[in-house]
């Protein structure tokens, strides 16, 4: 029979209460040194939707923006903006881009922070989608953009407010699950004639081993436009979400109904109808002034 193994008793030392307190204090000090304050995590999500009876060009513009914003959620067409705050809350979003079409020719863009506000109403002009432009620029999908603003955004209070809203809505969060961890395109916002002009550029540089670019070699980088293009004309800034107290109203805004071209089209159409009415009246007057002579044989076959 084999030899029996010797049984050795293992004694485990129980840590004292004082040792536990020292370890907890050291961990607390380490956490306070690494994080001096509460950690901020950007959880911005944008709901993108449109109204019914929208034009195909404007719908393509909305889809282009959806492809450029990886942190957005697309929603089906909405009848009106009355229930948008509830819809944004159901989709766990904090902002909203609502494309509102009127008369199948005018496009309005609502940019709102839900549910408390503020919100801005724009009219969109000079729309050119990616499919129309067919530019040579190209960048990866779901990559983070750099936001650039012209110096005019710092002049007035309403421009500073618009800059902050655009930064929060168009800026992609750092650790969002669908984004790539690098920058390869630029969103440029510039103010010309009190209008905000949007451009999207690709950051292009050489990829050969002989011509490697350092981090500070910005002179060797070039910008190639990708698209889309559009122009935003601010109409009103509201204190609430999709309404509320008016904080700013554009004094230079002119409604599309008062534009000269549209009024001329209406006058032309009204002129055609007026000509038809005058022609009918003229014919009746001519019939009354020159009545037809009575025919002798008009009642010949009625007696039989």
């Amino acid at each position: 029979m084999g030899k029996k193994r010797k049984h050795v008793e293992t004694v485990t030392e129980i840590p004292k209460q004082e040792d536990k307190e020292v370890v907890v204090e050291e961990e607390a000090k380490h956490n306070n040194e690494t994080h001096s304050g509460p950690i901020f995590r950007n959880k911005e999500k944008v709901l993108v939707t449109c109204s019914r009876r929208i034009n195909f060009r404007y719908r393509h513009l909305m889809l282009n923006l959806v492809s450029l914003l990886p942190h957005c959620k697309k929603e089906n067409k909405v009848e009106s903006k009355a229930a948008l705050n509830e819809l944004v809350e159901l989709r766990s979003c904090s902002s909203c881009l609502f494309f509102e079409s009127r008369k199948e020719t005018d496009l309005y863009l609502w940019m709102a922070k839900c549910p408390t506000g503020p919100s801005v109403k724009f009219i969109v002009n000079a729309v050119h989608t990616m499919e129309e432009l067919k530019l040579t620029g190209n960048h990866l999908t779901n990559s983070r953009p750099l936001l650039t603003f012209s110096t005019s955004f710092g002049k007035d209070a309403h421009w500073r407010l618009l800059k902050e809203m655009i930064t929060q809505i168009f800026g992609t969060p750092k650790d969002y699950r669908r984004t790539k961890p690098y920058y390869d395109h630029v969103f440029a916002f510039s103010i010309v004639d009190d209008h905000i002009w949007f451009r999207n550029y690709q950051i292009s540089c050489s990829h050969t081993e002989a011509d490697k670019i350092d981090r500070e070699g910005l002179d060797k980088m070039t910008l190639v436009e990708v698209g889309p293009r559009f122009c935003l004309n601010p109409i009103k800034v509201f204190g609430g979400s999709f309404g509320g107290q008016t904080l700013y109203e554009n004094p230079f805004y002119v409604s599309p109904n008062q534009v000269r071209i549209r009024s001329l089209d209406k006058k032309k159409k009204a002129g055609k109808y007026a000509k038809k009415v005058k022609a009918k009246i003229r014919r009746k007057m001519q019939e009354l002034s020159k009545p037809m002579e009575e025919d002798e044989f008009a009642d010949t076959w009625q007696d039989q």
Side-chain angles (χ1 to χ4, degrees), residues 43-47 88 91-96 112-115:
K43 297 182 179 180
E44 184 74 25
K45 293 180 184 178
V46 184
L47 182 71
V88 170
R91 295 299 300 272
S92 301
C93 297
S94 56
S95 304
C96 182
K113 298 290 293 181
C114 301

Side-chain angles (χ1 to χ4, degrees), residues 5 20 30 41 46 117 130 134 140 147 158 165 175-176 197 212 246 249 271 289:
R5 294 181 179 178
K20 289 183 179 179
H30 178 70
R41 185 179 178 184
V46 184
M130 291 183 183
K134 296 181 181 179
L140 295 174
L147 303 181
H158 64 279
M165 291 187 66
D175 297 326
Y176 191 69
W197 296 81
K212 283 188 177 180
T246 303
E249 185 174 359
S289 61

Side-chain angles (χ1 to χ4, degrees), residues 214-245:
D214 298 332
R215 289 188 175 182
E216 297 181 357
L218 299 178
D219 298 336
K220 298 181 181 179
M221 297 182 183
T222 57
L223 296 179
V224 183
E225 189 174 357
V226 182
R229 298 176 180 175
F230 57 88
C231 173
L232 299 176
N233 184 13
I235 302 174
K236 284 186 179 182
V237 179
F238 299 97
S241 179
F242 299 103
Q245 182 183 1

